[in-house]
């Protein structure tokens, strides 16, 4: 009787959904968008209707009582599977975490930057600071003292506690299969699809390798996957708007978006994914006539707060902490303006004092006002044959250096030898003599090395003796004739008297013969730009009184803006070094080429970053298979074929859940085709995560469609055989290729007796 009363009670509410264990389904497609009805107060009703939290609508609109192939009641217990995934993921990532005991690949950069945070030493990097700060914090908490130099790959760690930083990255990397499992489970409501996804990631040699070292990639991917999981969980709360759990997942989405962007600018791609999903979500809310405009406005403002203002606040906070911690002068000073440097303890501009006005006879450094424009610099090396006149090179150098020093002379060398020196004024004609080489700053009508419409700038003469091409007229920007040149504060241009051009830092990096320093030219285009503007930074003249420079310290927003301009320009200017692996985006999905993390010859401990080829090629095939399945389902729906309830569920999961993952893959992969900077294989790993999740959904639905070929129970047998073959393929391929991750010694792959003998399936693989 209780059961009959319960069914009657559900019918009274107007619920058209099926009962949990019924095998007949309503034919209306509206089942997928039917809201959950309130749970009955009768405890006995819990087996008859939508009775638990599992029955709320999933993010793809399907009721959680349905998996892609039927009721979840036939699935293994979710907690057991989740614990299995967690155990396998952590064990594969933390295994041999201390091997090899030397610096591998980019640990030389990010381990060193972690040391900088421990020592509070300022440095420059093209990425935002959160990842390096967390690495430094992990090292600090595990008793690493920040003294290891991280000079080059292969350097032995010795007694230094490097395992904490590696372990931290490995732990975050261990969460990736777990997050993927939960995301796919939410999107498909199928434990099988989630388990396929988790297995593909757990036993991928590439994911293991990139998680085991002191790198930004596992930290970045942790925040990307956490943001996607939070977004999907938030969508699950659509029937409980503004409840505590609704706010929790909204806030966590915003926090993880800030984390992803705070590690690398690639985090912008997941921000775009969440943004597009949010717009689609709001568009759906706008179509719900049961909601008033006030309700819709509340939804909109909540998302603005959680997904825009909160991430922005956290992102700015990351930089505030970064600037507070790194308060000592270091190797990154020269990339930033003089005012920026004046806030760094130990910098020659920090709490410094120097003569206020530029004078003849002074020793100075001249800094270009273009961000990362560099200091005016020269050295003994000459321009090579065929590059203008074969005279001494003049460049812009981004670091403090003795070769940045210049002496200021009058055009006739007639300077006062005693008493107060004459001051330099707007309109004066001067000579700049390089202090180390005694050659004058010089220009002529030869074309510049890289900027062909500009003139070459060289060092010419000896002991200050040269010719009329050494004369430059000082122009204070915005000044009038007779105005004095203020140190640090005046924007100055140097006009070449003979040719009429202006001294210019092009921002272009010279080839090896120019020591990869920045090109300096003389531009015939006289428009005022930061590239043609300079300031006097260091000013040494014992004959003049000094003033304090503390008034020049910039505000937080000024240094925040400057740091971003420097990072963006530095990122776009990255170029490959000699013998360094770089690749093209089309290489990545086919696993064309990996990266050497450690070792080259048979006597060394070799680690090679390469995705499990079998799994990556399954991912690639699944992308094509997914598109075919969606096309077939779309045509069938458009033609009005009766697919049955299960097929409708499959189609919905493919189009909504799979479509979200396909969009994530495209957003994290396609933009690299437009980038001009150097690209590497590891840039594909965030996109690979989305591809793998899509593979899990696609293969699960493919296997569950076995009843299109055979009748039960043969279709069930075929499905189980397919799952077993897939699992065996994953495990056996991992067995074959696991030495790539956990280290190889002895003969190389093409030599007899190698652990990888016969496994070098592509000539481009270098193990």
């Amino acid at each position: 009787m209780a059961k009959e009363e319960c069914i009657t009670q559900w019918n009274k509410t107007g619920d058209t959904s099926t009962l949990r264990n019924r095998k007949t389904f309503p034919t209306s497609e509206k089942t997928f968008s039917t809201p959950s009805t309130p749970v009955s107060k009768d405890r006995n009703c819990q087996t008859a209707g939508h009775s638990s939290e599992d029955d709320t609508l999933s993010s793809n609109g399907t009721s959680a009582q349905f998996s892609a192939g039927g009721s979840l009641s036939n699935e293994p217990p979710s907690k057991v599977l989740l614990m299995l995934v967690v155990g396998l993921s952590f064990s594969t990532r933390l295994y041999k975490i201390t091997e090899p005991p030397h610096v591998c690949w980019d640990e030389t950069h990010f381990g060193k930057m972690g040391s900088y945070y421990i020592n509070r030493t300022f440095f420059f990097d093209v990425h935002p600071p959160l990842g390096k700060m967390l690495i430094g914090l992990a090292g600090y908490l595990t008793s690493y003292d920040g003294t290891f130099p991280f000079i080059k790959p292969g350097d032995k760690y010795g007694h230094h506690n490097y395992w904490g930083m590696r372990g931290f990255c490995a732990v975050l990397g261990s969460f990736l299969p777990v997050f993927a499992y939960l995301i796919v489970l939410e999107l498909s409501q199928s434990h099988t699809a989630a388990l396929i996804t988790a297995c593909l990631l757990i036993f991928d040699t590439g994911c293991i390798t990139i998680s085991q070292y002191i790198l930004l990639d596992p930290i970045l991917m942790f925040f990307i996957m956490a943001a996607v999981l939070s977004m999907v969980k938030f969508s699950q709360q659509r029937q409980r708007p503004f409840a505590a759990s609704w706010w929790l997942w909204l806030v966590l989405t915003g926090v993880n978006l800030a984390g992803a962007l705070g590690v690398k600018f690639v985090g912008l791609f997941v921000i775009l994914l969440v943004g597009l999903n949010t717009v689609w979500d709001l568009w759906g809310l706008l179509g719900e006539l049961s909601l008033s405009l006030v309700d819709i406005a509340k939804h909109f403002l909540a998302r603005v707060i959680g997904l825009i203002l909160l991430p922005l606040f956290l992102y700015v906070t990351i930089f505030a902490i970064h600037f507070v911690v790194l308060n000592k002068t270091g190797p990154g000073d020269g990339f930033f303006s003089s005012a920026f440097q004046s806030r760094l303890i130990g910098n020659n501009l920090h709490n410094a004092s120097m003569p206020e006005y530029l004078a003849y006879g002074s020793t100075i450094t001249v800094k270009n006002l273009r961000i990362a424009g560099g200091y005016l610099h020269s050295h003994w090396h000459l321009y090579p044959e065929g590059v203008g006149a074969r005279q001494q090179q003049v460049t812009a150098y981004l670091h403090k250096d003795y070769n940045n020093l210049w002496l200021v002379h009058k055009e006739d060398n007639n300077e006062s030898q005693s008493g107060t020196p004459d001051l330099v004024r707007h309109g004066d004609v001067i000579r700049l003599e390089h202090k180390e080489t005694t050659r004058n700053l010089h220009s002529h009508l030869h074309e510049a090395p890289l900027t062909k419409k500009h003139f070459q700038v060289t060092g010419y003469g000896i002991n200050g003796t040269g010719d009329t091409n050494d004369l430059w007229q000082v122009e204070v920007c915005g000044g009038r004739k007779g105005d004095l040149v203020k140190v640090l504060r005046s924007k100055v241009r140097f006009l070449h008297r003979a040719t009429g051009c202006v001294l210019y830092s092009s921002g272009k990096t010279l080839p090896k013969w120019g020591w990869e320093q920045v090109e300096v030219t003389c531009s015939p285009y006289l428009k005022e730009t930061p590239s043609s503007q300079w300031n006097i930074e260091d000013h040494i003249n014992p004959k003049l009184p000094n003033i304090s420079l503390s008034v020049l310290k910039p505000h937080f927003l000024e240094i925040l803006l400057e740091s971003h301009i420097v990072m963006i320009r530095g990122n776009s200017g990255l170029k490959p070094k000699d013998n360094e692996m770089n690749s093209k985006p089309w290489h990545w999905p086919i696993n064309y080429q990996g990266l050497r993390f450690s070792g080259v010859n048979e006597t060394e401990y070799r680690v090679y970053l390469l995705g499990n080829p079998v799994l990556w090629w399954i991912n690639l095939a699944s992308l094509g298979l997914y598109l075919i399945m969606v096309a077939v389902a779309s045509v069938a729906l458009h033609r009005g074929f009766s697919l049955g309830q299960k097929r409708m569920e499959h189609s919905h999961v493919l189009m909504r859940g799979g479509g979200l993952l396909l969009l994530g893959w495209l957003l994290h992969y396609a933009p690299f085709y437009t980038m001009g900077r150097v690209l590497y294989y590891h840039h594909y790993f965030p996109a690979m995560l989305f591809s793998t999740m899509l593979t899990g959904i696609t293969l699960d639905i493919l296997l569950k469609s076995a009843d299109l070929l055979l009748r039960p129970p043969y279709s069930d047998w075929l499905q189980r055989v397919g799952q077993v073959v897939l699992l065996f393929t994953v495990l056996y391929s991992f067995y074959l290729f696991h030495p790539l991750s956990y280290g190889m010694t002895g003969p190389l792959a093409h030599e007899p007796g190698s652990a990888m003998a016969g496994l070098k399936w592509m000539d481009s693989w270098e193990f």
Side-chain angles (χ1 to χ4, degrees):
M1 280 299 292
K3 188 172 184 179
E4 291 176 359
E5 290 174 3
C6 188
I7 293 174
T8 303
Q9 184 176 351
W10 277 101
N11 287 338
K12 286 180 180 179
T13 66
D15 187 294
T16 59
S17 301
T18 61
L19 300 180
R20 178 174 295 275
N21 295 316
R22 291 277 297 276
K23 293 188 178 180
T24 58
F25 299 89
T27 57
S28 171
E29 293 180 31
K30 292 183 180 179
T31 303
F32 294 107
S33 58
T34 302
S36 302
T37 35
V39 177
S40 171
K41 294 181 182 180
D42 190 341
R43 184 180 297 272
N44 294 327
C45 293
Q46 291 184 0
T47 60
H50 299 271
S51 59
S52 70
E53 194 173 292
D54 287 343
D55 297 320
T56 58
L57 286 183
S58 72
S59 60
N60 59 21
T62 58
S63 179
Q65 72 188 37
F66 300 120
S67 71
S71 170
L72 280 180
S73 61
N74 295 326
E75 298 277 4
S78 59
K79 289 185 179 179
V80 174
L81 286 179
L82 182 58
M83 293 307 297
L84 178 64
V85 169
V86 171
L88 287 173
S89 184
F90 275 77
S91 60
T92 52
R93 271 71 182 164
L94 293 173
Y95 177 62
K96 298 182 73 173
I97 192 66
T98 58
E99 297 294 329
H102 60 246
V103 178
C104 294
W105 196 51
D106 270 358
E107 284 187 328
T108 187
H109 298 303
F110 302 119
K112 182 186 298 182
M113 292 170 187
S115 298
Y116 284 145
Y117 278 105
I118 293 173
N119 296 315
R120 308 191 68 177
T121 302
F122 186 77
F123 66 95
F124 165 71
D125 185 43
V126 298
H127 305 300
L130 179 60
K132 284 96 64 179
M133 281 199 292
L134 293 176
I135 289 172
L137 178 62
Y140 178 77
L141 294 176
T142 53
S143 302
Y144 169 60
D145 58 8
T147 58
F148 186 74
F150 288 97
I151 296 175
K152 66 183 185 301
D155 288 349
K156 298 289 185 182
Y157 282 115
H159 66 279
H160 296 276
N161 292 331
Y162 64 97
W163 58 267
M165 294 182 283
R166 278 193 185 172
F168 169 74
C169 293
V171 166
L172 295 191
S174 300
F175 278 103
L176 301 181
V178 180
F179 288 163
Y181 174 90
L182 295 173
I183 291 168
V184 172
L185 183 61
E186 294 292 343
L187 293 178
S188 68
Q189 295 301 315
S190 168
H191 285 290
T192 306
L195 198 57
I196 290 173
T197 300
C199 285
L200 292 175
L201 289 178
I202 287 171
F203 298 109
D204 177 56
T205 51
C207 275
I208 292 173
T209 304
I210 207 165
S211 298
Q212 288 194 308
Y213 298 92
I214 306 171
L215 303 172
L216 297 185
D217 301 86
I219 307 174
L220 169 68
M221 291 189 288
F222 172 87
F223 284 114
I224 288 176
M225 293 294 281
V228 175
L229 176 60
S230 301
M231 175 188 72
V232 172
K233 286 284 192 180
F234 173 69
S235 296
Q236 278 281 68
Q237 306 299 317
R238 64 192 308 161
Q239 299 303 313
R240 296 188 291 176
F242 306 108
S245 58
W246 187 91
W247 278 109
L248 172 66
W249 290 113
L250 177 64
V251 168
L252 285 178
T253 304
V255 169
N256 287 306
L257 290 179
L261 186 60
V263 176
K264 280 188 176 184
F265 288 127
V266 172
L268 287 169
F269 300 152
V270 75
I271 290 175
L272 184 56
L273 176 65
V274 173
L276 292 173
N277 185 73
T278 302
V279 170
W280 180 258
D281 186 28
L282 289 173
W283 180 253
L285 291 174
L286 193 61
E288 291 188 15
L289 300 182
S290 60
L291 293 177
S292 67
L293 291 179
V294 173
D295 292 331
I296 293 173
K298 289 179 181 177
H299 276 279
F300 176 77
L301 288 175
R303 286 161 174 80
V304 168
I305 293 171
L307 302 179
I308 298 177
L309 298 182
L310 176 62
L312 184 62
F313 169 76
L314 293 175
Y315 182 73
V316 171
T317 301
I318 291 168
F319 276 88
I321 298 171
H322 168 72
F323 293 134
V324 168
V325 173
L326 301 186
N327 64 350
K328 298 178 182 178
T329 188
D333 296 12
F335 290 88
F336 293 83
S337 68
S338 305
F340 186 102
Q341 295 178 44
S342 67
R343 50 176 293 280
L344 298 173
I345 298 172
N347 188 282
N348 61 311
L349 298 178
H350 182 260
N351 292 336
S353 61
M354 63 180 64
E356 182 177 10
Y357 298 107
L358 180 62
Y360 292 105
S362 297
T363 301
I364 63 171
T365 59
V366 185
K367 184 173 176 59
N368 188 256
L369 295 188
R370 173 193 179 99
I371 299 298
Y375 295 93
L376 189 64
H377 177 96
S378 189
H379 40 234
W380 289 104
H381 303 281
L382 307 181
Y383 286 101
E385 198 72 46
V387 181
R390 190 165 168 75
Q391 297 176 5
Q392 186 169 295
Q393 295 176 18
V394 171
T395 65
Y397 189 45
L398 297 175
H399 303 281
K400 304 278 190 178
D401 190 84
Y402 185 77
N403 280 327
N404 299 341
L405 296 176
W406 299 80
L407 298 172
V408 183
H409 297 299
K410 291 185 176 181
E411 60 177 319
D412 56 3
N413 271 346
N414 187 22
E415 285 125 26
S416 173
Q417 300 300 318
S418 61
T420 304
D422 295 331
L423 302 179
V424 178
R425 300 177 181 271
H426 177 98
D428 283 3
V429 177
I430 67 170
R431 284 187 307 102
L432 289 176
E433 177 189 332
H434 189 243
K435 185 170 183 180
E436 171 65 14
T437 63
T438 72
R439 300 190 189 277
N440 295 329
L441 186 68
H442 178 97
S443 187
H444 43 223
L445 296 178
H446 294 273
E447 68 180 15
L450 302 179
T451 310
K452 298 303 182 183
K453 293 185 178 180
H454 290 196
F455 301 134
Q456 183 187 34
V457 175
T458 69
Y460 180 75
I462 190 69
N463 291 326
T465 302
D467 60 22
T468 56
N469 282 334
D470 303 339
L471 301 180
W472 302 82
Q473 184 172 353
V474 177
E475 178 185 279
V476 178
C477 297
R480 296 175 295 179
K481 187 172 179 62
D483 285 352
L484 297 174
V485 178
K486 297 179 181 179
V487 173
L488 291 173
R489 287 174 287 179
S490 290
K491 298 179 181 179
V492 178
R493 301 207 309 164
F494 298 97
L495 299 172
H496 191 240
R497 291 284 286 173
T499 62
C501 58
V502 61
L503 190 66
Y504 189 93
S505 173
S506 70
K508 299 176 182 178
T509 302
L510 293 168
K512 294 294 184 183
W513 57 256
W515 303 92
E516 296 182 337
Q517 296 174 10
V518 179
E519 179 193 41
V520 168
T521 69
C522 198
S523 171
Y525 308 105
L526 301 183
K527 181 180 178 180
E528 288 188 6
T529 67
S531 294
S532 65
Q533 295 173 329
W534 308 75
N535 73 331
I536 310 303
E537 181 171 289
D538 296 286
H539 183 211
I540 303 169
N541 196 320
K543 297 181 180 180
L544 293 174
N546 295 333
I547 64 162
S548 173
L549 302 180
S550 59
V551 295
L552 298 176
K553 290 183 180 179
H555 300 296
F556 171 71
L557 291 180
E558 292 176 313
I559 62 177
L560 180 67
L561 176 62
E562 181 177 344
S563 64
H564 277 77
I565 295 174
V566 172
M567 283 190 296
I568 292 170
R569 288 183 177 172
N571 221 319
S572 62
L574 287 177
K575 295 183 179 181
K577 300 175 182 177
D578 287 343
N579 302 318
E580 190 174 24
M581 286 289 182
N582 62 89
S583 58
K584 295 179 173 56
W586 68 265
H587 290 172
W588 304 339
I590 64 175
N591 223 18
Y592 178 78
Q593 191 176 46
L595 275 169
R596 283 199 190 102
F597 266 42
S598 172
V600 176
N601 57 52
E602 61 184 36
T603 63
E604 296 176 322
Y605 190 96
R606 303 187 302 279
V607 176
Y608 191 72
L609 176 66
L610 184 75
N612 185 325
V614 176
L615 306 190
W616 280 51
W617 294 339
I618 288 176
N619 280 346
L620 186 60
S622 295
L623 282 171
L625 182 62
Y626 169 80
L627 295 176
I628 293 172
M629 293 170 66
V630 168
V632 170
S634 299
V635 170
L637 290 172
H638 191 62
R639 296 289 295 174
F641 290 120
S642 178
L643 300 179
Q645 187 64 38
K646 188 171 77 167
R647 300 282 174 262
M648 292 294 294
E649 292 173 36
H650 290 175
S651 300
H652 201 80
V653 170
L654 276 175
M655 293 178 186
R656 293 294 300 276
L660 178 67
L661 297 176
L662 180 65
L663 178 62
W665 177 74
L666 287 171
L667 289 176
H668 286 81
Y669 176 51
F672 287 102
Y673 282 93
T674 66
M675 293 184 185
R677 57 155 288 172
V678 62
L679 300 174
Y680 301 108
Y681 172 65
H682 69 100
H683 289 150
Y684 183 66
F685 277 83
M688 189 275 295
L689 297 175
F690 288 93
S691 176
T692 304
M693 290 188 286
L694 183 59
T695 296
I697 289 178
T698 302
L699 294 183
D700 177 54
I701 292 178
L702 178 69
L703 293 172
K704 286 177 177 175
S705 300
D707 57 353
L708 292 173
L709 300 175
L710 300 172
R711 297 178 184 178
Y714 304 108
S715 61
D716 295 333
W717 295 351
L718 180 60
Q719 178 182 333
R720 296 292 178 256
V721 168
Q723 292 170 349
V724 170
V725 169
L726 180 60
L727 179 61
F728 175 79
T729 302
V730 170
L731 293 177
Y732 187 64
S733 62
F734 175 69
Y735 167 74
L736 292 177
F737 288 97
H738 78 274
L740 296 178
S741 296
Y742 297 130
M744 305 167 282
T745 55
L748 303 179
H750 62 278
E751 299 171 345
S754 171
M756 303 301 294
L759 296 176
K760 190 179 178 184
W761 298 342
M762 298 182 72
D763 291 337
S764 51
W765 297 347
E766 297 182 319
F767 56 78

